Short mmCIF file of all heavy atoms in Angstrom, two decimals:
data_model
loop_
_atom_site.label_atom_id
_atom_site.label_comp_id
_atom_site.label_asym_id
_atom_site.label_seq_id
_atom_site.Cartn_x
_atom_site.Cartn_y
_atom_site.Cartn_z
N PHE X 9 -91.77 -24.64 67.77
CA PHE X 9 -92.87 -24.31 66.93
C PHE X 9 -93.32 -22.92 67.09
O PHE X 9 -93.48 -22.17 66.08
CB PHE X 9 -94.06 -25.23 67.17
CG PHE X 9 -95.28 -24.94 66.35
CD1 PHE X 9 -95.40 -25.46 65.01
CD2 PHE X 9 -96.37 -24.23 66.91
CE1 PHE X 9 -96.45 -25.12 64.27
CE2 PHE X 9 -97.50 -23.95 66.12
CZ PHE X 9 -97.51 -24.41 64.89
N GLY X 16 -91.44 -16.34 61.43
CA GLY X 16 -91.76 -16.54 59.99
C GLY X 16 -90.69 -17.45 59.31
O GLY X 16 -90.68 -17.46 58.06
N PRO X 25 -76.98 -27.49 45.52
CA PRO X 25 -77.26 -27.63 44.15
C PRO X 25 -76.99 -29.02 43.66
O PRO X 25 -76.15 -29.74 44.24
CB PRO X 25 -76.27 -26.62 43.43
CG PRO X 25 -76.03 -25.59 44.51
CD PRO X 25 -76.00 -26.35 45.79
N PHE X 27 -75.35 -30.26 41.19
CA PHE X 27 -74.10 -30.63 40.71
C PHE X 27 -73.06 -30.98 41.83
O PHE X 27 -71.93 -31.38 41.54
CB PHE X 27 -73.46 -29.49 39.81
CG PHE X 27 -73.72 -28.17 40.31
CD1 PHE X 27 -72.87 -27.56 41.17
CD2 PHE X 27 -74.75 -27.46 39.78
CE1 PHE X 27 -73.07 -26.27 41.70
CE2 PHE X 27 -75.01 -26.11 40.23
CZ PHE X 27 -74.14 -25.56 41.18
N LYS X 70 -77.96 -19.23 54.05
CA LYS X 70 -76.99 -19.52 53.09
C LYS X 70 -75.62 -19.75 53.65
O LYS X 70 -75.29 -19.09 54.65
CB LYS X 70 -76.94 -18.34 52.08
CG LYS X 70 -78.28 -17.89 51.48
CD LYS X 70 -78.82 -19.04 50.61
CE LYS X 70 -80.10 -18.65 49.95
NZ LYS X 70 -80.72 -19.75 49.14
N ILE X 75 -62.91 -25.43 50.38
CA ILE X 75 -61.97 -26.52 50.69
C ILE X 75 -60.59 -26.17 50.24
O ILE X 75 -60.43 -25.63 49.14
CB ILE X 75 -62.46 -27.85 50.04
CG1 ILE X 75 -63.84 -28.24 50.66
CG2 ILE X 75 -61.47 -28.92 50.17
CD1 ILE X 75 -64.37 -29.57 50.05
N THR X 79 -54.73 -32.31 45.76
CA THR X 79 -53.88 -32.87 44.64
C THR X 79 -54.84 -33.90 43.83
O THR X 79 -55.85 -34.37 44.42
CB THR X 79 -52.75 -33.68 45.13
OG1 THR X 79 -53.10 -34.65 46.03
CG2 THR X 79 -51.72 -32.65 45.80
N ALA X 109 -68.22 -27.01 29.35
CA ALA X 109 -68.41 -27.09 27.93
C ALA X 109 -69.79 -26.53 27.60
O ALA X 109 -70.79 -26.96 28.20
CB ALA X 109 -68.39 -28.49 27.41
N THR X 122 -71.68 -39.68 15.59
CA THR X 122 -70.54 -39.13 14.95
C THR X 122 -69.70 -40.23 14.23
O THR X 122 -69.96 -41.45 14.41
CB THR X 122 -69.61 -38.38 15.97
OG1 THR X 122 -69.13 -39.37 16.99
CG2 THR X 122 -70.38 -37.33 16.71
N ALA X 127 -66.94 -47.98 17.08
CA ALA X 127 -65.67 -48.49 17.49
C ALA X 127 -65.17 -47.75 18.74
O ALA X 127 -64.64 -48.36 19.64
CB ALA X 127 -64.59 -48.28 16.32
N THR X 143 -79.80 -30.16 31.88
CA THR X 143 -81.07 -30.13 31.14
C THR X 143 -81.18 -28.73 30.47
O THR X 143 -80.92 -27.77 31.11
CB THR X 143 -82.29 -30.49 31.98
OG1 THR X 143 -82.12 -31.79 32.51
CG2 THR X 143 -83.55 -30.43 31.19
N ASP X 164 -71.60 -48.21 28.30
CA ASP X 164 -73.06 -48.10 28.49
C ASP X 164 -73.55 -46.72 28.42
O ASP X 164 -74.79 -46.44 28.05
CB ASP X 164 -73.52 -48.89 29.70
CG ASP X 164 -73.28 -50.35 29.65
OD1 ASP X 164 -73.23 -50.85 28.47
OD2 ASP X 164 -73.08 -50.91 30.76
N PHE X 209 -74.65 -7.26 30.13
CA PHE X 209 -75.10 -6.28 29.14
C PHE X 209 -75.08 -4.85 29.61
O PHE X 209 -74.74 -3.97 28.90
CB PHE X 209 -76.50 -6.70 28.76
CG PHE X 209 -76.62 -7.69 27.68
CD1 PHE X 209 -77.25 -8.98 27.80
CD2 PHE X 209 -76.09 -7.49 26.33
CE1 PHE X 209 -77.27 -9.91 26.91
CE2 PHE X 209 -76.18 -8.50 25.36
CZ PHE X 209 -76.72 -9.69 25.66
N ALA X 250 -111.06 -16.64 -6.24
CA ALA X 250 -111.43 -16.27 -7.59
C ALA X 250 -111.76 -17.60 -8.36
O ALA X 250 -112.64 -17.66 -9.23
CB ALA X 250 -110.18 -15.61 -8.32
N ASN X 251 -111.00 -18.64 -8.09
CA ASN X 251 -111.33 -19.94 -8.79
C ASN X 251 -112.65 -20.49 -8.38
O ASN X 251 -113.36 -21.17 -9.16
CB ASN X 251 -110.26 -21.02 -8.47
CG ASN X 251 -108.91 -20.61 -9.06
OD1 ASN X 251 -108.84 -19.81 -9.97
ND2 ASN X 251 -107.81 -21.21 -8.49
N GLY X 255 -117.11 -18.75 -3.86
CA GLY X 255 -117.51 -19.77 -2.97
C GLY X 255 -116.94 -21.07 -3.33
O GLY X 255 -116.51 -21.30 -4.38
N SER X 258 -119.68 -26.07 -1.50
CA SER X 258 -120.85 -25.98 -0.65
C SER X 258 -121.45 -24.58 -0.68
O SER X 258 -122.47 -24.32 0.06
CB SER X 258 -120.53 -26.35 0.74
OG SER X 258 -119.60 -25.38 1.31
N GLU X 344 -72.07 -25.04 3.54
CA GLU X 344 -72.75 -24.49 2.33
C GLU X 344 -71.95 -24.84 1.07
O GLU X 344 -70.87 -25.43 1.17
CB GLU X 344 -72.97 -22.99 2.53
CG GLU X 344 -73.85 -22.64 3.71
CD GLU X 344 -73.93 -21.11 3.89
OE1 GLU X 344 -73.11 -20.42 3.37
OE2 GLU X 344 -74.96 -20.66 4.51
N ALA X 377 -61.52 -25.50 12.16
CA ALA X 377 -62.14 -26.78 11.73
C ALA X 377 -62.65 -26.71 10.35
O ALA X 377 -63.51 -27.52 9.90
CB ALA X 377 -63.34 -27.10 12.69
N ASN X 405 -50.99 -24.56 26.18
CA ASN X 405 -51.18 -23.28 26.82
C ASN X 405 -51.55 -23.22 28.30
O ASN X 405 -51.22 -22.29 29.03
CB ASN X 405 -52.21 -22.47 26.05
CG ASN X 405 -51.78 -22.10 24.68
OD1 ASN X 405 -51.07 -21.24 24.40
ND2 ASN X 405 -52.23 -22.94 23.67
N SER X 422 -46.67 -7.20 5.44
CA SER X 422 -45.73 -6.16 4.94
C SER X 422 -45.76 -6.08 3.43
O SER X 422 -45.93 -7.18 2.82
CB SER X 422 -44.27 -6.47 5.48
OG SER X 422 -43.86 -7.78 5.09
N ASP X 433 -48.49 -16.27 13.51
CA ASP X 433 -48.08 -16.95 14.78
C ASP X 433 -48.41 -18.49 14.60
O ASP X 433 -49.20 -18.89 13.77
CB ASP X 433 -48.94 -16.48 15.91
CG ASP X 433 -48.59 -15.02 16.24
OD1 ASP X 433 -47.48 -14.61 16.15
OD2 ASP X 433 -49.55 -14.23 16.58
N GLY X 453 -56.10 -3.95 -4.06
CA GLY X 453 -55.48 -2.67 -4.03
C GLY X 453 -56.40 -1.65 -3.35
O GLY X 453 -57.40 -2.02 -2.68
N ALA X 461 -54.93 -14.71 -5.73
CA ALA X 461 -53.53 -14.42 -5.65
C ALA X 461 -52.74 -15.70 -6.00
O ALA X 461 -53.12 -16.80 -5.62
CB ALA X 461 -53.15 -13.89 -4.29
N PRO X 478 -51.21 -4.48 -9.16
CA PRO X 478 -49.76 -3.99 -9.08
C PRO X 478 -49.32 -3.44 -7.80
O PRO X 478 -48.20 -3.36 -7.44
CB PRO X 478 -49.70 -3.09 -10.31
CG PRO X 478 -51.06 -2.57 -10.50
CD PRO X 478 -51.96 -3.71 -10.14
#
Side-chain angles (χ1 to χ4, degrees):
F9 178 80
F27 41 83
K70 305 299 182 182
I75 294 178
T79 58
T122 63
T143 301
D164 294 332
F209 276 115
N251 292 340
S258 64
E344 301 177 337
N405 294 279
S422 55
D433 294 320

